[in-house]
Amino acid sequence: MTYTVAPHLEYFKIPLTDFVAARPEFNGFGVGAYVFSHADPTPRILLLQRALTDSMPGCWEGPGGACELETDKTLLDSLVRETLEESGLHVSHIIDLVAVDCWEHHRRSGGKIRVAKYSFVVEVQEALRWSAGKQQPVPTLQIPVQLEQLEHEQFGWAIKEDILLSVRSLNGRFRFPLGGHQAPNILRAFEFVEQRQSKERSGDLAQ
C-alpha cells in the first residue's frame, strides 16, 4: 500500500486506534474518495451507482466505506483500501480533505450508531501515465474501473454540470439521497479541483 500524502494532511497518518480513541462521541468511522479524470478540458469525477438491493438503492456516490480497526493502520489506509475494493483503482496521492460529515446510522438489526465520514480528493495510478518524459492523463474511458458487483450497479464519469442538473431537476442522470451530503460534497470537490487547476496555470500552486 504505497501512496503519498499532502503535507497538511500528515495528521491523518496517526494510528487509526488513536484517531478513534480521540473521538469517543462516534461509534463508527467512514471514508470517501473523489477521483477525477483530467484528460478532457472539463474535469470529470468518478461516481458509482449503489446496488438496487442495498440501502439508498440506485443512488450515486464516490468510492468509500467503513474503516476497519482490525486491518487498517490509519484512516488514510482505510481510504486507499476502500477505493481499491470499490473501483479497482490504486490511490497514489491524497490531495486534500473535502468534508467531514456526521450522522446517526440506524442499523437494520436495531439500534443506532453515530458516524463520522472523512472525504478526500485523491489521485489514482491508473489515471496517469508517463509519456515523453512526463506524466500525462489517461483518456477517461480508458481508466480501468472495476466494480464490486454486490455493492454497485454501474459507474459513470460526471462533469460539474451533470451534478448541478441532477440536483436541480429530475432530468439528470445522477440521483442523490434527498437532504444528503453526497451532492454538496461532490460540488465542493469540483470547486477544489477548479481552484487547483487555476493555481497550476498561474504557477501559484504550493508544493
Side-chain angles (χ1 to χ4, degrees), residues 67-169:
C67 299
E68 297 180 359
L69 285 172
E70 298 80 10
T71 57
D72 299 331
K73 293 182 179 180
T74 69
L75 186 85
L76 300 182
D77 282 355
S78 301
L79 175 70
V80 172
R81 174 185 55 76
E82 282 289 343
T83 303
L84 178 60
E85 290 178 358
E86 296 202 343
S87 69
L89 302 176
H90 298 78
V91 172
S92 57
H93 184 57
I94 302 173
I95 302 173
D96 209 348
L97 176 68
V98 173
V100 180
D101 298 288
C102 308
W103 70 91
E104 287 187 346
H105 173 69
H106 294 265
R107 290 173 166 169
R108 293 179 179 178
S109 58
K112 59 185 179 182
I113 60 174
R114 182 90 174 143
V115 178
K117 180 180 179 181
Y118 295 75
S119 298
F120 299 83
V121 174
V122 304
E123 291 178 353
V124 295
Q125 294 177 11
E126 291 82 357
L128 295 169
R129 64 186 174 200
W130 286 96
S131 177
K134 62 180 180 179
Q135 283 190 320
Q136 300 284 357
V138 172
T140 303
L141 297 182
Q142 293 182 22
I143 298 174
V145 178
Q146 298 180 15
L147 298 182
E148 171 51 66
Q149 295 297 329
L150 294 179
E151 295 192 22
H152 294 101
E153 297 284 327
Q154 61 178 319
F155 70 90
W157 291 94
I159 61 175
K160 185 176 182 179
E161 285 68 24
D162 293 331
I163 308 303
L164 292 171
L165 177 61
S166 298
V167 169
R168 294 169 180 169
S169 74

Side-chain angles (χ1 to χ4, degrees), residues 34 36-38 40-45 95-96 98 121 158-164 184-205:
Y34 295 122
F36 283 85
S37 167
H38 299 284
D40 303 317
T42 301
R44 291 181 177 272
I45 192 170
I95 302 173
D96 209 348
V98 173
V121 174
I159 61 175
K160 185 176 182 179
E161 285 68 24
D162 293 331
I163 308 303
L164 292 171
N185 287 353
I186 290 168
L187 291 172
R188 193 174 297 120
F190 268 106
E191 291 175 3
F192 169 82
V193 168
E194 291 166 352
Q195 291 171 2
R196 183 178 174 86
Q197 288 181 330
S198 177
K199 290 179 180 179
E200 287 176 341
R201 287 192 292 267
S202 64
D204 293 335
L205 184 64

Side-chain angles (χ1 to χ4, degrees), residues 17-37:
T17 51
D18 293 345
F19 187 88
V20 169
R23 294 159 179 80
E25 67 272 28
F26 296 106
N27 314 99
F29 291 82
V31 288
Y34 295 122
V35 179
F36 283 85
S37 167

Side-chain angles (χ1 to χ4, degrees), residues 52-70:
L52 300 180
T53 55
D54 204 346
S55 59
M56 296 180 289
C59 289
W60 293 79
E61 62 187 2
C67 299
E68 297 180 359
L69 285 172
E70 298 80 10

Side-chain angles (χ1 to χ4, degrees), residues 172-188:
R173 173 186 176 187
F174 302 98
R175 182 169 65 87
F176 302 101
L178 292 176
H181 59 263
Q182 279 292 348
N185 287 353
I186 290 168
L187 291 172
R188 193 174 297 120

